[in-house]
Amino acid sequence: MSLTESKERTGNFRPQDAPHYDDVLQCMRCGFCLPTCPTYVLTGRERSSPRGRVALARAVAEEKLEFSRAVRDEAFFCLDCRACTSACPSGVRAGEVMEVCRDQAQSFYPLGRTGKALREFILEKMVPSPGLMEASMLPTRLYQRLGIQWLVRHLKVLNLGPDWMAKAEGMIPELHKPLRPQLPPVVPAKGEKRGRVGFFLGCVMTLMYPSVSRQTVRVLAQQGFDVVTPRDTKCCGAPHLSEGDRTTARRLAKFNLDLFMAEEIDYIVTDCAGCGAALKEYEELLAESADQRSLEIFRSKIRDVSEFLFEVGIREEGLVPVNATVTYHEPCHLCHAQGISRQPREVIKHIPGVELREMNESNWCCGSAATWGLKYSEESQKVLDRKLENVRATNADYLVTANPGCHLQLAWGVREADMPQKVLHLMELMGRALPPDSE
Amino acid sequence: MISTTAIAHLKEKLGDSQVLHEKEDLLTLGYDSTPGVHHLPEVVVYPQTAEQMIWAMEIAHREGLPLTPRGSGTGLSGGSVPVRGGMVIGLSRMNRILEIDEENLTATAEAGVVTLDLFNAVAAKGLFYPPDPGSQKISTLGGNVAENAGGLRGLKYGVTRDYVMQLKGVLPDRSLFCTGGKSVKDVAGYGFKDLMSGSEGTLGLITEVTVKLIPPPQDKRTILAYFNDVRTAGEAVSRIIAAKIIPSTMEIMDRATINCVEDYVKIGLPRQMAALLLIEVDGHPAPVAEEADGVRAILEQVKAAEIHVARDAAHAADLAAARRTALSALARVSPTTLLEDATVPRSRLAETFGEIERLTQKYGLKVGTFGHAGDGNLHPTVLCDERDQDEMKRAHDFYNELYEQVLASGGTVSGEHGIGLAKKAYLSRQIGEGGVRVMKRIKQAFDPEGILNPGKIFDEGDPCTTPHVEEGFRVSH
Ligand SMILES: Cc1cc2nc3c(=O)[nH]c(=O)nc-3n(C[C@H](O)[C@H](O)[C@H](O)COP(=O)(O)OP(=O)(O)OC[C@H]3O[C@@H](n4cnc5c(N)ncnc54)[C@H](O)[C@@H]3O)c2cc1C
Ligand code: SF4
Ligand code: SF4
């Protein structure tokens, strides 16, 4: 092919970690993604749509546009929900292009000295260190301590809604002790052994939903798997990618890769859709900085817990009926980022006594999206309202999901709206079907 | 350059969020789905009413800005690309369905209503709005009328124009117009409504559309046939039509298209087959069964490799949805997808496929072909890279030669996508210089100052970018 211009064209992007020009050219501007994009639906503004965002990236690459404030704002206004990726017949990944742009934004619009120091402390020191995270959370106000308050205030990514503080506080569930130090390194399989899995325990799961992951481990063991939970597991890096810090994300990824590759395990299972999506993307993230072969092996082992259970087949003997109606909200990072839609439903259908009532638009985002729901609380509320309306229409007893971010947002939303549904993680639902002696 | 006072004025009259002028907005509102054309407007406005539209036009007039209407920008001939800059008038936010009149079987909606939304709203009342362009999830009703969009059901049910009963809007001289009505019969004077349909936004701005509805077919059968070569599929289509069977849908995809679509939808389309025909017959149950048998018999006669019947309604819907993604899915293969809209009499289909194959070889290109085979409307799509000048030249020659054949066989250079920018140079070849002259006079009568969507369909005097033909595929501002 006699190309007149080089294939990789970075133009006004900083060359390192620029969006691939080919990925951007891939968009044929058909617009199939438009109706699926929450920020386009909210604003009706083309530049806040996947097609528009890709066009902005293209304009920067072609030097028709500087990496302007508006480009930065669009990168952060994007929920990174990946609904557009599912919708795009041409295989364009607008969400990922925007994720890369968030990283670019750090060098075009650097923070002030204190802001930078704080940001570095949180993203580079605190979140990567499980010990520090646990310490920071001890009493109340952990949500702020976790750094979200700071992120919201200091990244100045956007004008904050006035009610974000109240929301942040209102969202925190009742806290129990972090799970990480409590979990035995290996929980042995019950009954006939079917294999040995590594459990990737996510930060938010251990800190905010320890009881959920406890159920996950219980379910895995009851299903016949030894469950290995490496103590040293670090954050998967998703918050760093989301805030535009690819460097720390790479460091964490490399650490987790080596950690799990050293274990004798058949699979690496997680109950956090966000972690799962990030782990599955290590292959791309580390393409230039880790051994290709081990990346491939690592990638081939990652499973969301529902994906895993569906694949190995659920052992039904001994399950006790859970008499309830449930509806299922699909986390974006499960259905759009990982393409896992059918498996969680199959798991639900395998739980005796449970009736699954499908809601409309089950894969419409809940509006949480890491810190997005706090930065844009008004917009987030609108996205959430559409979700809650669909939940309400099902009249189900439980609202089941599979990601801690959605869990926080939905539990808060349901409470605020005075709705009767209780929000459960899929593994909590399944945990109820396990005989009590399987503890 | 539009003045800051004019912007302030627009904002005051229309509201802040309905007036966009930052570079980032202009950059994302200067394209449609046509490759290689991108021109920035100076300002984009989203009027909510005809009155606001007149206001905006008044200001544009004072500032000397040309006007370009825009629906969702899914057009495939560059119709909503503001080649002369100026003001883009966005209609996508005028999106209320105003009335579904069950006594008269009509629906009235603002021009920005998404086609599928209208379809669903009337379906909820047990009625049927047949026009269904592949882009129905995104395209607007106004855009459909302006392009006279066809669709998968065009074969039996016709195109958008066949359903338009009344149009309301604003003329370039800033006066309101209303043409047509709810009366089924209406021959009062010239047929402006029919002229507006397919006028590509060059004669007037449509704000409100009233369409005819029909009762939905009671029964439907979907048949899927696979072929070992494309020409046989073309022959099957001609024979089905010759047997006086009119399916509602008869869509074709070739191997390249099947593979790209399957990569996306993953519903088990057979990757090794040379072509697929998706055929739907609908209507009353008895004739449907009879027609389905007739179709099957013909498919067997021409020796289709495999013949399947859709398992159920959901399966049939999946297949139709898969077909609708064909063009976008082809874009997986290469950075640039250049699509054409060649349409021939149905008896010439097999021969046209042969021609496409021959030219693909001759010019050494990658081509995927799909389309509304039952209408003789094919979309041969060259999969290329706009950075490769030589390949672009070959693509250009390919289309030039193909259109020569198409016109020789009594076909047309556009079955449904319009002339816009992309096919201006071909138009006179089909309708002759005299034909173009008459069209220009019509344009003159509606828009003597030439302010509405200038540079589309034909050039008035100064040459304008005609990307496929004159200048190669240059992206220009
Ligand atoms: C994947 C894909 C599949 C497609 N399949 C089909 C198909 O099967 N059949 C088919 O016919 N087309 C098809 N198209 C082409 C396109 O979708 C249609 O032409 C559609 O009607 C354009 O609608 P729009 O709202 O996007 O209009 P735009 O692209 O925004 O505008 C199209 C033209 O209409 C004018 N216009 C828009 N709104 C108004 C208004 N209110 N008043 C006056 N002028 C107006 C514009 O100036 C422009 O000239 C397809 C496109 C894509 C991307
Ligand atoms: S991102 Fe994909 S779906 Fe959206 S306009 Fe581009 S090609 Fe179409
Ligand atoms: S990731 Fe979500 S918010 Fe971002 S462009 Fe895609 S659909 Fe829109």
Side-chain angles (χ1 to χ4, degrees):
Chain A
M1 206 187 274
S2 65
L3 293 185
T4 47
E5 287 160 25
S6 82
K7 274 203 119 134
E8 268 316 323
R9 185 170 172 186
T10 53
N12 287 336
F13 283 113
R14 184 191 71 198
Q16 185 209 345
D17 276 328
H20 293 296
Y21 188 53
D22 269 2
D23 287 354
V24 170
L25 275 189
Q26 197 71 39
C27 172
M28 56 88 58
R29 306 190 294 217
C30 64
F32 269 98
C33 52
L34 298 184
T36 68
C37 173
T39 56
Y40 177 72
V41 171
L42 281 174
T43 61
R45 196 168 181 169
E46 180 84 12
R47 78 176 209 201
S48 302
S49 78
R51 181 171 68 175
R53 288 180 170 126
V54 171
L56 288 181
R58 181 170 173 170
V60 176
E62 291 174 352
E63 294 175 44
K64 293 186 180 122
L65 184 68
E66 297 297 318
F67 191 102
S68 60
R69 282 173 195 279
V71 176
R72 177 197 62 178
D73 291 349
E74 279 313 331
F76 282 96
F77 188 40
C78 167
L79 293 120
D80 204 11
C81 67
R82 315 281 172 99
C84 51
T85 305
S86 294
C88 177
S90 318
V92 176
R93 294 171 303 176
E96 272 166 82
V97 170
M98 285 301 112
E99 200 177 85
V100 174
C101 286
R102 291 181 184 190
D103 190 62
Q104 293 272 329
Q106 308 309 331
S107 45
F108 287 103
Y109 300 95
L111 294 164
R113 274 237 325 268
T114 25
K116 193 154 172 279
L118 265 165
R119 179 190 157 89
E120 277 167 8
F121 175 71
I122 290 169
L123 287 177
E124 295 172 23
K125 294 257 159 46
M126 188 160 120
V127 183
S129 153
L132 269 181
M133 288 273 272
E134 281 153 19
S136 77
M137 309 226 348
L138 282 175
T140 49
R141 318 212 72 159
L142 74 138
Y143 205 75
Q144 291 88 327
R145 290 262 211 118
L146 228 187
I148 308 225
Q149 169 178 355
W150 174 83
L151 284 173
V152 173
R153 275 196 183 153
H154 294 266
L155 290 187
K156 294 209 191 82
V157 177
L158 227 257
N159 37 323
L160 307 171
D163 40 352
W164 72 270
M165 264 278 253
K167 179 174 175 186
E169 229 117 36
M171 281 172 81
I172 304 164
E174 196 187 319
L175 291 170
H176 301 280
K177 279 204 191 115
L179 181 63
R180 195 186 61 97
Q182 300 178 50
L183 264 187
V186 181
V187 174
K190 304 246 158 167
E192 196 189 326
K193 184 171 154 181
R194 299 161 81 190
R196 189 175 163 89
V197 302
F199 178 52
F200 186 92
L201 176 61
C203 310
V204 189
M205 294 312 282
T206 174
L207 297 175
M208 298 210 196
Y209 290 112
S211 53
V212 171
S213 287
R214 197 187 291 284
Q215 294 304 319
T216 306
V217 172
R218 205 173 146 234
V219 166
L220 289 169
Q222 188 269 348
Q223 288 288 313
F225 296 91
D226 286 342
V227 187
V228 182
T229 313
R231 265 284 154 86
D232 296 334
T233 311
K234 287 196 179 188
C235 170
C236 64
H240 305 80
L241 291 175
S242 168
E243 293 300 336
D245 177 6
R246 294 179 88 74
T247 311
T248 310
R250 280 206 180 90
R251 181 156 64 79
L252 293 167
K254 185 75 178 50
F255 179 88
N256 288 326
L257 172 77
D258 293 341
L259 183 72
F260 277 87
M261 287 304 284
E263 298 281 352
E264 290 280 316
I265 43 177
D266 310 318
Y267 295 96
I268 302 165
V269 177
T270 180
D271 57 4
C272 166
C275 297
L279 295 172
K280 286 178 178 177
E281 283 166 19
Y282 278 6
E283 206 173 352
E284 283 191 328
L285 185 66
L286 296 178
E288 270 124 48
S289 52
D291 166 53
Q292 185 56 33
R293 184 78 195 113
S294 57
L295 279 174
E296 276 167 27
I297 298 173
F298 181 81
R299 170 69 187 86
S300 72
K301 290 186 177 181
I302 309 292
R303 297 287 184 283
D304 178 76
V305 65
S306 63
E307 183 186 20
F308 176 71
L309 291 174
F310 179 68
E311 196 175 309
V312 297
I314 294 175
R315 207 193 248 170
E316 285 185 67
E317 63 267 29
L319 294 186
V320 294
V322 181
N323 291 317
T325 53
V326 309
T327 189
Y328 173 62
H329 159 73
E330 308 197 52
C332 297
H333 279 89
L334 204 54
C335 65
H336 299 307
Q338 300 184 58
I340 296 175
S341 202
R342 181 172 164 213
Q343 298 89 325
R345 294 181 160 85
E346 291 294 333
V347 173
I348 293 172
K349 287 182 196 157
H350 271 87
I351 303 174
V354 167
E355 180 202 332
L356 175 63
R357 288 193 190 159
E358 288 290 348
M359 68 171 97
N360 277 334
E361 306 178 319
S362 59
N363 64 6
W364 178 256
C365 181
C366 67
S368 165
T371 54
W372 194 92
L374 296 175
K375 289 174 193 158
Y376 303 90
S377 56
E378 221 170 286
E379 287 85 351
S380 169
Q381 187 66 51
K382 288 190 189 141
V383 181
L384 175 63
D385 285 345
R386 180 159 164 175
K387 170 77 6 175
L388 293 180
E389 207 38 63
N390 287 322
V391 173
R392 195 176 277 124
T394 65
N395 220 358
D397 305 329
Y398 293 108
L399 168 55
V400 170
T401 189
N403 183 56
C406 308
H407 202 145
L408 281 168
Q409 169 94 340
L410 292 170
W412 180 79
V414 164
R415 208 162 49 236
E416 291 285 302
D418 233 344
M419 287 166 61
Q421 281 78 19
K422 189 167 161 36
V423 182
L424 288 183
H425 187 284
L426 178 60
M427 286 300 104
E428 287 179 292
L429 182 72
M430 183 140 179
R432 298 188 177 196
L434 263 41
D437 63 336
S438 74
E439 195 68 64
Chain B
M1 268 298 278
I2 185 167
S3 64
T4 38
T5 39
I7 300 255
H9 227 95
L10 284 168
K11 287 192 168 174
E12 185 188 314
K13 287 288 173 193
L14 272 66
D16 279 358
S17 62
Q18 316 289 37
V19 181
L20 305 179
H21 54 92
E22 287 175 29
K23 187 159 183 206
E24 289 79 3
D25 286 304
L26 304 180
L27 269 164
T28 53
L29 290 159
Y31 53 66
D32 68 357
S33 308
T34 318
V37 280
H38 192 192
H39 294 262
L40 305 199
E42 289 182 45
V43 63
V44 182
V45 297
Y46 291 91
Q48 302 296 297
T49 60
E51 286 67 35
Q52 286 191 349
M53 193 177 277
I54 293 173
W55 257 106
M57 289 168 78
E58 193 55 53
I59 292 171
H61 181 69
R62 271 188 251 146
E63 299 274 315
L65 306 175
L67 305 165
T68 307
R70 187 178 199 275
S72 294
T74 67
L76 287 166
S77 56
S80 54
V81 176
V83 267
R84 305 268 165 82
M87 176 184 281
V88 161
I89 301 199
L91 285 128
S92 57
R93 299 182 189 173
M94 277 181 83
N95 54 9
R96 288 176 306 156
I97 294 173
L98 303 170
E99 179 196 59
I100 297 172
D101 179 347
E102 293 179 76
E103 281 179 12
N104 285 305
L105 297 186
T106 63
T108 302
E110 291 181 335
V113 165
V114 168
T115 317
L116 187 62
D117 291 347
L118 182 78
F119 176 88
N120 287 335
V122 304
K125 302 216 178 238
L127 288 163
F128 184 40
Y129 174 65
D132 62 338
S135 52
Q136 62 171 358
K137 269 191 195 167
I138 328 126
S139 67
T140 65
L141 207 52
N144 291 171
V145 174
E147 293 292 0
N148 189 16
L152 275 64
R153 290 189 280 259
L155 171 56
K156 176 172 173 181
Y157 292 103
V159 294
T160 305
R161 179 185 280 139
D162 302 323
Y163 293 85
V164 174
M165 299 202 60
Q166 184 182 60
L167 295 176
K168 286 187 183 171
V170 183
L171 291 169
D173 69 1
R174 303 180 286 291
S175 61
L176 295 169
F177 75 85
C178 173
T179 167
K182 284 188 184 175
S183 310
V184 177
K185 297 168 78 179
D186 181 2
V187 291
Y190 291 142
F192 286 142
K193 151 175 86 68
D194 289 347
L195 189 57
M196 278 288 173
S197 313
S199 64
E200 306 188 27
T202 62
L203 301 183
L205 288 152
I206 301 159
T207 54
E208 195 183 298
V209 184
T210 299
V211 293
K212 172 169 84 179
L213 306 174
I214 57 175
Q218 293 170 356
D219 197 10
K220 187 160 91 172
R221 234 20 99 77
T222 302
I223 301 163
L224 199 58
Y226 303 129
F227 298 85
N228 291 320
D229 75 289
V230 187
R231 257 168 289 187
T232 315
E235 198 190 321
V237 173
S238 307
R239 288 235 213 148
I240 289 167
I241 300 292
K244 303 183 181 61
I245 299 174
I246 309 290
S248 54
T249 293
M250 201 147 41
E251 298 286 315
I252 193 160
M253 293 199 257
D254 72 353
R255 182 183 289 134
T257 315
I258 293 172
N259 278 283
C260 294
V261 168
E262 179 59 18
D263 282 343
Y264 173 56
V265 296
K266 303 190 178 70
I267 52 172
L269 300 176
R271 294 176 177 277
Q272 72 290 356
M273 290 294 175
L276 161 173
L277 275 185
L278 173 69
I279 303 170
E280 250 171 45
V281 287
D282 70 8
H284 288 287
V288 162
E290 204 175 296
E291 284 178 1
D293 289 346
V295 167
R296 270 193 96 104
I298 293 168
L299 291 170
E300 279 160 16
Q301 274 165 31
V302 299
K303 300 207 165 49
E306 284 177 39
I307 305 167
H308 300 272
V309 176
R311 289 189 299 275
D312 48 36
H315 188 215
D318 279 352
L319 290 167
R323 157 61 189 87
R324 288 197 175 91
T325 68
L327 166 60
S328 325
L330 277 169
R332 284 175 174 267
V333 173
S334 62
T336 313
T337 36
L338 290 179
L339 151 134
E340 275 305 339
D341 192 18
T343 307
V344 294
R346 292 167 292 197
S347 59
R348 311 296 282 268
L349 261 179
E351 167 194 328
T352 308
F353 275 117
E355 198 51 27
I356 293 172
E357 280 182 346
R358 185 182 72 81
L359 294 172
T360 304
Q361 297 292 326
K362 176 174 172 188
Y363 291 105
L365 293 164
K366 256 188 282 176
V367 176
T369 303
F370 64 96
H372 314 293
D375 302 336
N377 187 184
L378 298 180
H379 299 310
T381 305
V382 176
L383 310 173
C384 50
D385 189 328
E386 63 196 76
R387 292 165 289 187
D388 184 341
Q389 297 291 323
D390 176 59
E391 193 179 37
M392 299 318 276
K393 167 87 174 59
R394 281 181 280 128
H396 164 215
D397 293 344
F398 169 92
Y399 284 131
N400 237 341
E401 201 171 332
L402 178 64
Y403 274 129
E404 241 162 64
Q405 298 294 326
V406 164
L407 290 176
S409 63
T412 168
V413 299
S414 178
E416 55 182 20
H417 296 161
I419 300 298
L421 295 168
K423 262 169 299 192
K424 284 197 284 188
Y426 296 129
L427 183 63
S428 62
R429 281 207 234 162
Q430 182 180 329
I431 64 170
E433 291 302 332
V436 174
R437 216 173 312 125
V438 171
M439 288 195 184
K440 284 187 181 175
R441 283 198 205 128
I442 294 172
K443 164 80 175 161
Q444 266 261 312
F446 277 83
D447 181 16
E449 294 170 274
I451 58 162
L452 190 59
N453 214 354
K456 307 296 162 64
I457 308 182
F458 36 70
D459 293 319
E460 309 99 289
D462 60 334
C464 185
T465 34
T466 310
H468 286 203
V469 188
E470 285 158 4
E471 295 200 355
F473 299 80
R474 208 175 306 141
V475 179
S476 51
H477 282 254

